[in-house]
Amino acid sequence: MLTRKKLGDLLIEAGLITEEQLHAVLEEQRMSKGRLGDLLISKSYVSEQQVIETLVRQLGIPYVPVHQLQIDPQVIALIPQKLAERQKVLPLSKEGNKLVVAMNNPLDYFAIDELRMTTGMQIMPAITSKEELERAISRFYGFQESVEQIAKRLEQHELDDPAMLQDDIYSPVIKTVNQIIEQAIQAGASDIHFDPQEDGLRIRYRVDGLLRSEKKLPLHMQRVIAARVKIMAQLDIAERRLPHDGRMELSVDNRKIDIRISTMPTMYGEKVVMRILDSQKRNHQLSELGFTEHNLRQFENGINSPYGMVLIAGPTGSGKTTTLYSALQQVNSEEANIVTIEDPVEYQLLGINQVQVNSGPGLTFSIGLRALLRQDPDIAMVGEIRDLETAEISVRAAMTGHLVLSTLHANNAVNAVTRLMEMGVEPFLLSSSLNCVVAQRLVRCVCVNCARQVEPTPGERRLFEARGIRVDKLRQGAGCMQCSQTGYRGRVAIHEVLLLDDQLRSMILRSKGDSEYRAYAERHGLIPLLKDGLLKAASGLTTLREVLRVTSMDSSQAIGF
């Protein structure tokens, strides 16, 4: 049981507020009947983080990031929804006669007594933030209600009932899918995965580049969930043996959200992946994308050329499109006719003519690019070079007075050159047309709220020193509410910029290998991806582990990872 201390006394003991401030707020509380903690926070005497840290430190109450938890529905059912919403509590787990309950104010003894009488169990309070708790209560209770309704209908053999799947906001299937999508958007997720496994339908969100499990549903619900998503994307729900691709558009919090859908049959049902694209997301300036001064200057030299080809290389999810759009914004002007061919159009750019690929009636990248070149463009942007035909048209356009920007799947900037030649692009065409290649990856940033300095190990020092970087301290996140205890919040790109000169063009013409291109480029100013990442780690922007993770650095063994 908790020692019956008062919040105000604990905050005074911690030196966060004065007795005068407490008395003033207590007087106001008598008039407004508000919660003491909320009033102290509203007056900026303390932050919610300080209140939580004080309770954790002085009373040993555990902090729990409730949005990361999967809670057993039977545990949720122990506390009625109305009571949970009124007292702002959420049951987390049960062990014997003990019930762990998340609360924003674990010193609310009246709430604890009511929970004890309602459940007949000993209440063990945990603490979480108010906003996180409110979202979790809405998510678990509203979600659980919909799931229970789906289960009842499935028991009644109503799987093929159209009312379960069509656009009726009261349908439990529709409510469940909508809640999953809305919560993913609120969490800042880029993708939603519906993974059918032997033990259930696992729902995961990709946040800051990493997947995390959010919920698990009974496996027998997989079919209706997948069918609802396919209806939203206007796909054939009867065909479950073949992959499908589609898209849909939603309005969430007055923002237009485009979602790409991909389905694939697996052993336990269709796996569905939804990619979330915020088409109204603010476009970045190039200077905001994490380029070092040297790399930014090299890249700007490439895109400021009147003609030639500029490529952004990297794997899926490495931020290539963001860099490409930022470059387009920089070169956009009244005097320039800029036309793009994309699949899909992810962000809308003012003053630029954007064309959506539509393979149904035959508007492919290559056909669209041919038509684009008849539109008198100064600058052409091709969303992605996927095949030889598109590559050759892009190269020839770059040789005939157009600036062509595109993306390519390649491991690094040098590899992009040989990748195009492996596609079948002739070396003499490539050497005459290619201006610049930028390779990039995204690394997670150290959370600024919980960042702390740490001493690098001897192995880590050697890794930095081998690349001419001196490091005295590194930074890493300890984990806090704002970063969901991960130590990371947000992402930044690391880059490798290859600007072609006459010698490199001559080497391409003679079809030299990757290693020769790279050796020459590094002697003449190329900063490899790994080194750019190490520079960002040395500055405290990210961690060495993150850099090694995204660059697949083999020498991680040398530093004891």
Side-chain angles (χ1 to χ4, degrees):
M1 291 293 293
L2 284 174
T3 304
R4 297 232 165 189
K5 290 190 176 182
K6 294 182 178 180
L7 176 61
D9 295 334
L10 288 171
L11 294 174
I12 289 175
E13 288 176 21
L16 295 174
I17 63 172
T18 65
E19 290 193 12
E20 291 75 14
Q21 289 172 329
L22 176 61
H23 292 151
V25 172
L26 286 172
E27 192 63 36
E28 183 176 333
Q29 185 188 28
R30 292 189 190 96
M31 302 293 293
S32 66
K33 304 298 182 184
R35 294 174 181 262
L36 178 62
D38 291 343
L39 292 172
L40 288 166
I41 292 167
S42 69
K43 291 188 171 295
S44 300
Y45 291 156
V46 289
S47 66
E48 184 178 26
Q49 176 81 12
Q50 288 175 316
V51 172
I52 290 175
E53 288 175 352
T54 298
L55 295 175
V56 169
R57 184 173 59 252
Q58 297 201 16
L59 297 183
I61 299 172
Y63 167 78
V64 178
V66 292
H67 77 275
Q68 293 184 334
L69 300 180
Q70 293 185 38
I71 304 176
D72 188 332
Q74 294 182 347
V75 173
I76 292 289
L78 292 173
I79 296 179
Q81 182 173 350
K82 290 184 178 179
L83 175 58
E85 291 173 342
R86 175 165 53 83
Q87 294 289 10
K88 297 291 187 293
V89 297
L90 181 72
L92 301 180
S93 62
K94 172 181 174 291
E95 185 176 340
N97 194 46
K98 295 180 180 179
L99 180 64
V100 179
V101 178
M103 308 176 70
N104 181 238
N105 179 13
L107 299 183
D108 187 342
Y109 303 110
F110 293 107
I112 292 173
D113 288 343
E114 185 174 1
L115 293 173
R116 180 174 48 78
M117 289 187 290
T118 301
T119 63
M121 304 177 72
Q122 182 181 346
I123 304 301
M124 310 297 292
I127 191 168
T128 193
S129 70
K130 182 179 180 182
E131 182 182 354
E132 207 176 347
L133 184 58
E134 288 176 347
R135 284 206 308 264
I137 291 170
S138 172
R139 178 174 58 145
F140 283 106
Y141 280 98
F143 189 80
Q144 187 59 32
E145 184 180 13
S146 298
V147 168
E148 289 170 358
Q149 290 174 2
I150 295 172
K152 286 179 182 177
R153 290 208 183 184
L154 292 178
E155 288 173 5
Q156 297 165 4
H157 308 290
E158 295 185 32
L159 176 63
D160 298 317
D161 181 359
M164 286 189 74
L165 302 173
Q166 298 301 330
D167 291 327
D168 173 5
I169 61 172
Y170 299 106
S171 163
V173 177
I174 293 172
K175 286 168 63 178
T176 299
V177 173
N178 288 349
Q179 285 173 332
I180 290 170
I181 295 172
E182 288 170 8
Q183 288 159 14
I185 292 169
Q186 290 170 358
S190 60
D191 302 87
I192 307 170
H193 288 241
F194 297 82
D195 292 325
Q197 304 290 322
E198 185 177 8
D199 60 346
L201 177 64
R202 185 170 54 163
I203 298 167
R204 297 188 292 170
Y205 296 161
R206 186 177 295 279
V207 180
D208 284 342
L210 297 181
L211 281 170
R212 69 186 193 199
S213 294
E214 287 291 319
K215 303 177 178 69
K216 185 179 285 186
L217 301 179
L219 184 58
H220 65 269
M221 294 184 184
Q222 179 277 330
R223 186 175 163 187
V224 289
I225 297 291
R228 173 56 193 165
V229 173
K230 290 167 75 173
I231 285 175
M232 295 171 77
Q234 299 182 339
L235 299 174
D236 182 3
I237 65 171
E239 180 55 79
R240 295 188 291 273
R241 298 165 298 175
L242 296 173
H244 293 272
D245 291 300
R247 59 174 54 88
M248 62 184 180
E249 186 178 292
L250 297 176
S251 180
V252 178
D253 296 332
N254 297 318
R255 294 183 321 188
K256 188 173 75 173
I257 304 294
D258 293 320
I259 300 179
R260 281 189 282 174
I261 310 294
S262 174
T263 73
M264 178 175 287
T266 71
M267 285 181 59
Y268 299 105
E270 288 179 286
K271 173 178 170 63
V272 179
V273 177
M274 308 175 77
R275 166 147 294 190
I276 300 168
L277 304 169
D278 187 348
S279 59
Q280 295 178 341
K281 188 181 289 183
R282 183 178 75 88
N283 294 307
H284 297 278
Q285 301 296 319
L286 283 179
S287 58
E288 300 173 333
L289 298 184
F291 282 98
T292 62
E293 186 177 338
H294 169 79
N295 281 343
L296 181 59
R297 187 167 60 250
Q298 296 279 84
F299 185 37
E300 287 179 333
N301 285 340
I303 64 174
N304 288 330
S305 299
Y307 57 86
M309 187 160 65
V310 176
L311 295 176
I312 316 295
T316 300
S318 60
K320 299 188 299 294
T321 303
T322 299
T323 303
L324 198 59
Y325 276 58
S326 300
L328 281 178
Q329 274 204 147
Q330 179 139 329
V331 298
N332 189 14
S333 69
E334 282 281 334
E335 295 78 24
N337 176 26
I338 303 177
V339 189
T340 74
I341 179 82
E342 308 171 61
D343 182 25
V345 174
E346 296 193 13
Y347 308 128
Q348 297 171 7
L349 299 177
L350 188 64
I352 292 178
N353 306 287
Q354 295 174 268
V355 178
Q356 168 75 55
V357 166
N358 188 347
S359 55
L363 181 55
T364 62
F365 270 117
S366 56
I367 291 173
L369 184 54
R370 282 196 179 94
L372 180 158
L373 294 174
R374 295 193 290 270
Q375 291 284 310
D376 184 33
D378 297 293
I379 300 170
M381 190 272 266
V382 183
E384 184 181 343
I385 293 178
R386 300 177 178 176
D387 52 51
L388 175 59
E389 188 177 11
T390 304
E392 286 188 331
I393 299 169
S394 300
V395 165
R396 293 184 185 278
M399 293 174 61
T400 54
H402 304 93
L403 179 64
V404 179
L405 289 81
S406 189
T407 68
L408 181 73
H409 285 276
N411 293 328
N412 52 58
V414 169
N415 179 242
V417 176
T418 50
R419 177 95 172 79
L420 286 169
M421 287 195 281
E422 287 167 0
M423 277 187 183
V425 178
E426 294 291 346
F428 75 90
L429 292 175
L430 194 57
S431 66
S432 303
S433 60
L434 190 60
N435 283 351
C436 177
V437 184
V438 177
Q440 68 178 57
R441 301 286 190 278
L442 292 178
V443 294
R444 293 180 294 170
C445 296
V446 174
C447 174
V448 296
N449 188 61
C450 61
R452 57 188 176 87
Q453 289 192 330
V454 294
E455 288 283 342
T457 67
E460 290 171 340
R461 287 185 190 277
R462 287 194 298 272
L463 185 58
F464 282 98
E465 290 169 359
R467 286 153 184 85
I469 304 170
R470 180 180 173 182
V471 59
D472 296 319
K473 296 284 186 181
L474 295 174
R475 285 212 315 169
Q476 66 181 34
C480 66
M481 291 186 305
Q482 293 188 19
C483 64
S484 304
Q485 304 301 314
T486 63
Y488 298 98
R489 192 177 184 196
R491 289 191 291 175
V492 69
I494 60 174
H495 303 95
E496 178 177 286
V497 182
L498 177 68
L499 189 66
L500 275 74
D501 60 13
D502 290 341
Q503 180 62 31
L504 265 175
R505 294 182 195 281
S506 175
M507 293 170 70
I508 292 171
L509 194 58
R510 288 177 280 137
S511 300
K512 298 292 184 180
D514 267 12
S515 58
E516 292 183 65
Y517 297 144
R518 175 164 292 279
Y520 172 82
E522 289 190 20
R523 287 197 306 270
H524 291 79
L526 175 78
I527 299 174
L529 272 171
L530 175 61
K531 183 172 182 179
D532 191 56
L534 293 177
L535 288 169
K536 289 181 169 68
S539 70
L541 193 58
T542 186
T543 65
L544 183 55
R545 284 183 181 273
E546 268 296 286
V547 174
L548 298 180
R549 179 180 68 83
V550 303
T551 57
S552 302
M553 169 61 179
D554 292 334
S555 64
S556 59
Q557 296 176 353
I559 58 174
F561 276 54

